[in-house]
Amino acid sequence: MLSILQKGQADTAMIYADNAATTKMSKAAIEAMLPFFDTLYGNPGSPHEAGRRAQEALWHAREQIAAVLHCSAKQIYFTSGGSEADNQALCSAAAIGERSGKRHIISTAIEHPAVLKPLEQLKKRGFDITLLPVHADGIVRPAELIAAIRPDTALVSVMYANNEIGTIQPVQEIGALCRERGILFHSDAVQAAGQLPVNIPRDGIDLLALSAHKFHGPKGIGVLYADVNAPLKSLILGGEQERGRRAGTENVAAIAGMAAALAEANASLDRSHKHLSILRERMLTGLLAIPGTRINGSLTKRLPGNINISFEGIEAELLLLLLSEHGICASSGSACASGSMEPSHVLLALGLSPTEARGALRLTLSGETTEDEADQIVCAVSECVSRLRNA
Ligand SMILES: *Cc1c(COP(=O)(O)O)cnc(C)c1O
């Protein structure tokens, strides 16, 4: 174990291009966390000075996050991450629907497993689930959503931006049409937060999930946004933390780190958008010069740091192995799907064949990715693809 750690520290040649899987913590996030390991160690639930200070830190973090999302601090509930927030949102919305006899839920074929798996479970409990298709560009059509709506539709769940292909969904339009019809709207904004200007009232969102480690905050902490009057269903039972919506002593350090990371990412949205767009253009020019390539998903309605590209006749798993010899960390789709040889459900939903889907490489950049690194990645990919094709 120690040798792994030492090796990791010594390995300065690593190029990290897997920021949709997780990100490096920002200095601001680390600094915001440190006091809570040392001087500010009180339990926010304790009715004394140490507790009061921790409670104050929680509310400060809620204010910071609420300012970014354009909502009220009281509507911010802390969870253990994006998965828990998605699970709680879906279970709560299902329970609300059930009370008025509404057992139909609409979502999409390209959601993260943190949405798809709870939906599978709801289906077993008698809910009717419609998964909207996406077009070849990886984007849901609002007209198709309208056509799928029924009198018993309780919830629409559409992700803000996709984790594999980075496509951005027409959230604002979907929010408006749900609102007109009195249907709850949940959006998994885990990939969007810190990269896009998420605005809850503008977007018409009722339930929203965030995860800190996708925007340079710590792992194991996230947010569920919900109205103060929304009857959220607790997944974890116990104490009265989070106004009775989520039991368990809050991870104050991680919460402070998350808020600092989000505030920082949001303050530099335009700058990082520009930086990432330039880098991606540069890389695409190089990558598309490789014969037999295709970009998966829309290039315009897309997170600026996402490249998802298939190479004809190539197994991405093999390509990843060769790339790792060059010190490059990338992905073959979603981290959850890699390791298994199952083709990505997202790429299949775009209409790729299983073979084409297995040839897809996901490169996700961050504000820290340099031009030099981008060039090295392109060089290594070209070289590895021709090595595999000539093997
Ligand atoms: C990473 C991710 C999640 C899960 O978040 P965790 O904090 O890792 O549980 C959910 N949805 C999307 C789109 C993600 O990218």
Side-chain angles (χ1 to χ4, degrees):
M1 188 58 197
L2 188 61
S3 67
I4 293 171
L5 291 173
Q6 284 165 343
K7 192 160 175 271
Q9 275 162 4
D11 193 358
T12 49
M14 185 179 88
I15 296 178
Y16 189 76
D18 200 10
N19 286 281
T22 197
T23 56
K24 177 179 163 182
M25 275 181 62
S26 70
K27 289 205 167 58
I30 296 171
E31 261 163 38
M33 291 175 76
L34 291 176
F36 301 96
F37 297 123
D38 183 9
T39 47
L40 291 171
Y41 50 81
N43 184 326
S46 298
H48 48 54
E49 184 56 19
R52 194 193 59 73
R53 288 181 189 177
Q55 188 61 246
E56 203 174 272
L58 285 186
W59 281 94
H60 177 62
R62 261 188 254 280
E63 295 284 354
Q64 281 180 291
I65 294 165
V68 170
L69 301 176
H70 301 269
C71 65
S72 139
K74 286 186 209 140
Q75 298 169 311
I76 300 296
Y77 298 95
F78 297 121
T79 67
S80 68
S83 299
E84 186 188 323
D86 280 333
N87 273 260
Q88 189 169 9
L90 296 171
C91 291
S92 303
I96 295 168
E98 223 159 17
R99 251 174 273 156
S100 47
K102 293 184 174 179
R103 299 178 138 256
H104 179 230
I105 297 174
I106 303 174
S107 188
T108 83
I110 61 165
E111 296 298 311
H112 189 274
V115 167
L116 290 177
K117 290 282 167 71
L119 289 181
E120 273 172 32
Q121 200 164 62
L122 287 169
K123 189 173 177 180
K124 282 183 202 145
R125 280 184 29 205
F127 279 82
D128 225 357
I129 313 291
T130 302
L131 292 185
L132 293 173
V134 291
H135 289 231
D137 58 7
I139 295 172
V140 168
R141 297 297 185 271
E144 290 174 15
L145 169 60
I146 293 172
I149 291 173
R150 311 193 315 211
D152 65 337
T153 304
L155 171 73
V156 167
S157 175
V158 177
M159 71 199 318
Y160 214 109
N162 183 265
N163 46 304
E164 293 190 38
I165 53 176
T167 51
I168 301 164
Q169 302 303 326
V171 169
Q172 207 175 323
E173 244 178 288
I174 294 171
L177 68 90
C178 287
R179 189 140 290 180
E180 277 166 25
R181 292 162 178 81
I183 300 168
L184 285 175
F185 177 34
H186 163 252
S187 187
D188 174 338
V190 171
Q191 291 289 333
Q195 294 213 56
L196 298 173
V198 175
N199 182 323
I200 285 172
R202 179 201 64 198
D203 297 336
I205 291 168
D206 298 301
L207 297 156
L208 176 121
L210 298 187
S211 173
H213 75 102
K214 303 288 174 74
F215 51 76
H216 303 278
K219 293 170 183 59
I221 192 76
V223 159
L224 172 59
Y225 157 85
D227 191 73
V228 281
N229 298 318
L232 289 182
K233 214 168 135 59
S234 299
L235 301 183
I236 313 281
L237 306 178
E240 286 300 306
Q241 288 90 354
E242 296 302 289
R243 283 90 76 216
R245 271 30 168 243
R246 204 277 182 184
T249 303
E250 293 91 344
N251 188 344
V252 188
I255 287 165
M258 167 165 66
L262 186 61
E264 187 185 44
N266 208 58
S268 55
L269 274 186
D270 290 341
R271 190 154 33 89
S272 67
H273 205 284
K274 211 172 281 169
H275 169 73
L276 291 171
S277 304
I278 292 169
L279 271 189
R280 184 173 66 186
E281 258 327 290
R282 193 182 169 94
M283 290 177 71
L284 281 178
T285 307
L287 291 170
L288 289 170
I290 302 171
T293 54
R294 63 172 281 171
I295 296 288
N296 300 313
S298 165
L299 259 183
T300 49
K301 289 174 185 149
R302 191 183 190 102
L303 296 173
N306 176 292
I307 294 176
N308 190 304
I309 186 165
S310 291
F311 301 96
E312 210 179 283
I314 299 282
E315 282 271 356
E317 296 295 326
L318 292 175
L319 180 57
L320 284 178
L321 276 179
L322 292 188
L323 285 175
S324 75
E325 286 173 14
H326 290 258
I328 294 168
C329 304
S331 161
S332 62
S334 64
C336 328
S338 65
S340 73
M341 291 307 276
E342 283 299 301
S344 140
H345 69 283
V346 174
L347 297 177
L348 295 181
L350 297 190
L352 271 72
S353 71
T355 313
E356 286 170 324
R358 283 195 195 91
L361 174 72
R362 180 184 74 180
L363 299 164
T364 43
L365 317 174
S366 86
E368 290 204 352
T369 313
T370 64
E371 259 183 26
D372 186 47
E373 286 178 325
D375 292 345
Q376 286 187 56
I377 294 170
V378 172
C379 241
V381 171
S382 312
E383 191 192 310
C384 296
V385 167
S386 36
R387 247 174 82 192
L388 286 170
R389 282 187 175 154
N390 294 328

